[in-house]
Amino acid sequence: MNMTTAKKPSAIRAEKFSDTGEIKKLTEELGREQYQLGMPLLDASVAGAILGFKPSDRGMRAQAQRCWEILKPQLNQHLLSEDETVLPWAEVAGGLAPEVMDRIKRSHLEMRSLIAKLNGVSFEKDADKVVAVAGKALCVLAVKLDDLIDSEEMRLLPALRRMLFA
């Protein structure tokens, strides 16, 4: 006889609670991270814009390097948290429209593409030609990330909170 094992309702609730608790924690962390990125984003956009036209500027090279060292790990963790935990949970929970999910995923792909252009670049040591291209990518990344943060603050995080506390 082939019998499937079914989870008890209490086990299902415990699993759901565990997932929900993790999502609540991640949602709070994502909200906090966004406030910490303000000045590094502004500094990165300024440094990147200047380096795009004047890559020999040593002060802007140092500023770009500092900003990228701050932004890179936070950005990678943020995208990883959203892509691997928050968005799949929201998709299963059904609280976000498919077009919203698609827009977020496209935005994340664009962020990853810009990150790839910056990985391995040393703003302080690389040739002017490399720094000019990376500077432009850093500026675009900072501006797009700022837009993404605004969108998440206005749409994604409130939607997630509604789903969590409904």
Side-chain angles (χ1 to χ4, degrees), residues 5-19:
T5 57
K7 288 185 179 180
K8 293 180 181 178
S10 61
I12 294 169
R13 281 193 306 275
E15 186 176 297
K16 183 179 178 185
F17 179 75
S18 173
D19 292 345

Side-chain angles (χ1 to χ4, degrees), residues 142-162:
V143 171
K144 290 193 177 281
L145 183 55
D146 188 56
D147 289 345
L148 179 64
I149 288 169
D150 284 346
S151 174
E152 286 184 357
E153 285 177 348
M154 291 173 52
R155 294 180 188 94
L156 179 62
L157 291 176
L160 289 173
R161 287 182 186 112
R162 281 191 301 273

Side-chain angles (χ1 to χ4, degrees), residues 65 68-69 72 115-127 130-135:
Q65 189 70 42
W68 181 233
E69 287 171 1
K72 182 181 176 181
I115 290 168
K117 291 179 181 180
L118 293 165
N119 280 335
V121 171
S122 170
F123 285 99
E124 294 177 319
K125 296 177 184 173
D126 282 343
V130 172
V131 170
V133 170

Side-chain angles (χ1 to χ4, degrees), residues 35-71:
Y35 293 111
Q36 296 170 352
L37 294 178
M39 283 309 292
L41 282 177
L42 179 61
D43 290 346
S45 64
V46 169
I50 291 172
L51 290 175
F53 297 101
K54 188 178 176 191
S56 60
D57 187 317
R58 290 286 162 204
M60 288 296 109
R61 281 177 169 243
Q63 180 172 315
Q65 189 70 42
R66 277 191 311 273
C67 292
W68 181 233
E69 287 171 1
I70 291 168
L71 293 173

